[in-house]
Amino acid sequence: MHDRTLAELARGLAGGEFTSRELTAALLERIERIDPALNSFISVTGEQALNAAERADSARQQGKAGALAGLPLAYKDIFCTEGVRTSAGSRMLDNFIAPYSATVVDKLERAGLVSLGKTNMDEFAMGSSNENSWYGPVKNPWNSELVPGGSSGGSAAAVAAGLVPAALGTDTGGSIRQPAAFCGITGLKPTYGRVSRYGMIAYASSLDQAGPMARSAEDCALLLNAMAGHDPRDSTSVSRAVPDYSRELDKPLDGLRIGLPAEYFGEGLDADVEKAVREAVKVYESLGARVIDVSLPHTGMAIPAYYVIAPAEASSNLSRFDGVRFGHRCDDPASLEDLYKRSRAEGFGEEVKRRILIGTHTLSEGFFDAYYRKAQQVRRLIRQDFLDAFDKVDVLMGPAAPTTAFKLGAKADPVQMYLQDIYTIAVNLAGIPGISIPAGLVGGNHPTDHRPVGLQILGPHFGEAHLLNVAHVYQQATDWHQRRPPVEGQA
Amino acid sequence: MNQGAANMQWEVVIGLEVHVQLSTRSKIFSGASTAFGAEPNRQACAVDLGLPGVLPVLNENAVAMAVRFGLAIDAEIPEYSTFERKNYFYPDLPKGYQTSQMAHPIIGRGEVEITLPDGTTRTVRIHHAHMEEDAGKSLHEDYSGMSGIDLNRAGTPLLEIVSEPDMRSAEEASAYLRALHAIVTYLGISDGNMAEGSMRCDVNISLRPRGQQTLGTRAEIKNVNSFRFVERAIAFEIERQSELLEDGGIVVQETRLYDPDSDETRAMRTKEEANDYRYFPCPDLLPLMLDEAYVEHQRSLLPELPSEKRHRFTGELGLSAYDAGVLTASRPLAEYFERVHAVCGDAKLAANWVQGDLMARLNQDGLDISESPVSAEQLGGLLSRLADDTINGKAAKQVFADLWAYKGESADEIIAARGLKQVTDSGEIEALCDRVIADNPAQVTQYREASEDKRGKMIGFFVGQVMKASRGTANPPQVNAMLKEKLDALL
């Protein structure tokens, strides 16, 4: 059961092949067996999961079960879940039991999904390798020496390892798409404003967006159907009708105009990754698509602009973690200032502190215009690049990351780590949707040498339905998304 | 040195930042109640507590109130305004930032007309007014060695009204504050209760030699919360600063606190110690767009404003500027006066009684106009009887006292029950006068022997006797005339 997609599991539940309780119990057993080596979960909520599964089963017996009822999933530990620890991967919130649930969690719970627990992540979603977690790094299921990517590395690894069929992630600069690519799964970052951010612990509010991570585009569509929509509690969520993302999955791609941005195939791109991506594009051509070379001239400014805007917002968003009302508090504070200083010094990890410092600096009097204001100008240019490109093409394609998964500890220099997000970050700055789908395995012949490659597909604002269609048709023609890592061998 | 002397040499320059608590039912960014006086932290929801993941949603009512204030001071209402975060750490500031407005406030330049005690008017220019959330309160009593935090007030909507440095004396500052108080209470956008902190102000004050154009260095006196304290604090500052300057010293730019107990201001922090608030646009709130139709709709909801009423009272009703100023100081008072006037039809009589007997009794019993035991209709009824000579002034005071003590439903009822109807029948009055003259031969002799100017005073004795004999019901002017005629006939 652990290899199946959500859609397949839904059919199994509907056909009475197994109950949600059986499915849930089987996956919990598998988590218990395999996850100690992977470390993809921070909290496993077995008892609540079994209870929820039983509720779904009894709803099904009464004929009241919706399409997603009884299906298991996991939440990145950045989504508040009532009564369950919500740590954001930080020591700061190790003791934080959320007193309320995020809007997306509420929605999925109401749809009958069964949460197995909370997945590991880079602290406060800051990182590209999942090495910045207070709970230790996550291992890539394909090879335990490799990182799973980040910051939604726990979600990606859990889905790839067959611990859970789907998980939610968040994407501020590539945090869904890059780990999806590294772990060989499908991950969608929706348009900014498509999914409510209420209850999602904020990293960079103008960039953060929640999205599904699963084994197929079809599964992402199923989840997005339940997640998307305006939330009166999130002023930045957009009130715009939510289409049925499953309906047009099979639409033929005849005449699809694919743009290949020159900037996404330049220096720094691993040759194997480039080869896999170009082959995927060829598959699309064989399906009736047309390839057009385009340019996104301001791509080079995306990382610098991001590392002004995101830390600026983060420095402010993370001010509430002061040891006063919740979260970590230092022992025996001598004064208020001591309470602040030591609680924050002890509660936050290195990367979080680095970004708080950067953000505090760039917002300071005398620096604001040179950094923040300038970065916002760049942001508008980047957005315009995409809008111009989408005048000529329907989607853009390229690699999700410049390399495949790298080794744990390989990128000690933060700037090297930041460059991981070179193809994903501009997408958040522009607010457009993007999806990463498995498009090849590179490396040696031995199964533990296989490293997944992610193809990133980008569309215009609110173009999720089309992106999912483009991804799904590819997945009907190829089987990269069905390749599974040799997890059992490692366990 | 006294203030007068200081003013000879120095010109005082004052600007006020007034915080007005808007009387919305819920908070500016959450649904929690704003009612005053609840148990600590009972009116603070997840948003007010700044829990991880929560987001603000702007209260539309607070926006409407701010716009109505803007219209009342004839201000520019920009189409576009934004919210910014003001970042600083304080235990009663849950998020580590206050959501406020900086670059694009909701209300632009406007002006407020003020009336000085001598009845003259002046205009104070308003630089802008912006919306922001209030912080919580630190409670330093009852917690040995610790501070308690009450977040009930956190998130209460405030309108901060920033004046130009247009005031030149404590009197003007106080008059300005009273004018603002009148405007916001007329608009019904604030209860204006200064004791509960619904209106409080920061006073910026500097001195410069008369004739000098450039401003001197200012001190800011924080959080002054009564009209009287504003005057006292300014008086103290004028003396402090003029002494400093005259001794060849300099005024340091700093924040000071006024202590009503010692009646002095004390330094709190200097400019060097001031925070760098690192303002930046709040990414959780979209820019606020107000179109003309919205603004015009708000305009249609405006009541008659204090300055409009004042001009009508002096123009149409012929009241003095002083009376009009006193009567329009608060909307309930003005409306009470207007109802009294509507019933009795004599504006001057109504103004005299409302400001005189009524206010005296209210002050004596510590009551607000809204709590008056004598309704405007009852007072109007009483004054009607005075105006049409049914009763005389003395009887009127008696009727008023009875109404106050709930000894009757209406003036007419009391007049009838007590037989206070004025005697105007000349035959009856003549009989009374004859009797008093006959009964007091000694006084009559004195009268006859007195000089003419003394006689004028001596007639009062006879009038008093006649009034007494009539149990106060005789018409005094008639009695006066009749006695004069009869006594002078004896000369």
Side-chain angles (χ1 to χ4, degrees), chain A residues 120-153:
Chain A
N120 205 340
M121 56 182 285
D122 282 304
E123 186 179 5
F124 286 105
M126 299 178 191
S128 308
S129 68
N130 222 306
E131 291 167 296
N132 298 336
S133 169
W134 166 249
Y135 301 91
V138 178
K139 309 290 170 58
N140 190 316
W142 291 86
N143 181 322
S144 62
E145 288 178 10
L146 302 180
V147 301
S151 65
S152 312

Side-chain angles (χ1 to χ4, degrees), chain A residues 21-336:
Chain A
R21 195 185 198 287
E22 287 163 355
L23 172 60
T24 302
L27 292 177
L28 286 172
E29 181 277 323
R30 194 173 157 81
I31 290 170
E32 200 178 339
R33 186 155 45 86
I34 292 171
D35 202 49
L38 281 182
N39 196 29
S40 68
F41 277 84
I42 290 173
S43 303
V44 178
T45 52
E47 203 180 311
Q48 291 104 308
L50 291 170
N51 288 338
E54 280 167 13
R55 281 196 300 276
D57 285 335
S58 86
R60 189 171 298 284
Q61 276 175 354
Q62 294 162 33
K64 289 180 194 159
L68 302 178
L71 292 173
L73 92 167
Y75 294 106
K76 183 178 183 177
D77 207 17
I78 200 165
F79 294 95
C80 284
T81 43
E82 189 177 342
V84 176
R85 174 175 58 184
T86 300
S87 74
S90 180
R91 181 186 183 192
M92 183 59 89
L93 290 177
D94 184 52
N95 63 2
F96 179 66
I97 310 292
Y100 75 102
S101 286
T103 296
V104 277
V105 172
D106 264 344
K107 283 183 149 192
L108 292 171
E109 218 164 76
R110 266 184 272 128
L113 281 116
V114 173
S115 170
L116 302 187
K118 312 292 291 290
T119 58
N120 205 340
M121 56 182 285
D122 282 304
E123 186 179 5
F124 286 105
M126 299 178 191
S128 308
S129 68
N130 222 306
E131 291 167 296
N132 298 336
S133 169
W134 166 249
Y135 301 91
V138 178
K139 309 290 170 58
N140 190 316
W142 291 86
N143 181 322
S144 62
E145 288 178 10
L146 302 180
V147 301
S151 65
S152 312
S155 288
V159 171
L163 306 184
V164 65
L168 292 204
T170 61
D171 191 316
T172 305
S175 282
I176 286 177
R177 291 160 289 155
Q178 184 252 22
F182 278 18
C183 292
I185 65 165
T186 302
L188 171 72
K189 181 205 93 80
T191 307
Y192 182 79
R194 180 74 291 185
V195 175
S196 168
R197 291 187 296 115
Y198 189 81
M200 214 172 93
I201 297 176
Y203 157 27
S205 312
S206 74
L207 302 160
D208 296 340
Q209 185 64 195
M213 304 175 79
R215 300 198 180 114
S216 68
E218 184 186 14
D219 286 2
C220 287
L222 283 174
L223 286 172
L224 190 61
N225 279 336
M227 294 167 68
H230 176 65
D231 178 2
R233 289 185 294 188
D234 176 2
S235 309
T236 63
S237 73
V238 176
S239 53
R240 180 183 168 119
V242 178
D244 178 352
Y245 293 107
S246 302
R247 209 180 57 207
E248 297 193 337
L249 285 175
D250 290 307
K251 221 170 102 182
L253 302 183
D254 289 328
L256 177 75
R257 296 171 301 168
I258 297 173
L260 297 185
E263 294 78 7
Y264 284 28
F265 294 89
E267 201 186 331
L269 176 59
D270 178 271
D272 288 341
V273 172
E274 177 169 2
K275 191 159 158 264
V277 167
R278 290 201 185 275
E279 272 166 24
V281 172
K282 276 188 197 134
V283 172
Y284 276 105
E285 285 181 295
S286 74
L287 293 167
R290 203 148 52 84
V291 171
I292 298 163
D293 289 328
V294 295
S295 173
L296 301 169
H298 298 95
T299 298
M301 296 182 185
I303 286 182
Y306 176 92
Y307 280 99
V308 171
I309 293 166
E313 294 181 7
S315 70
S316 174
N317 285 334
L318 271 58
S319 292
R320 69 190 62 196
F321 305 107
D322 56 6
V324 174
R325 294 166 314 286
F326 46 74
H328 178 73
R329 179 187 284 201
C330 67
D331 289 332
D332 305 319
S335 65
L336 179 62

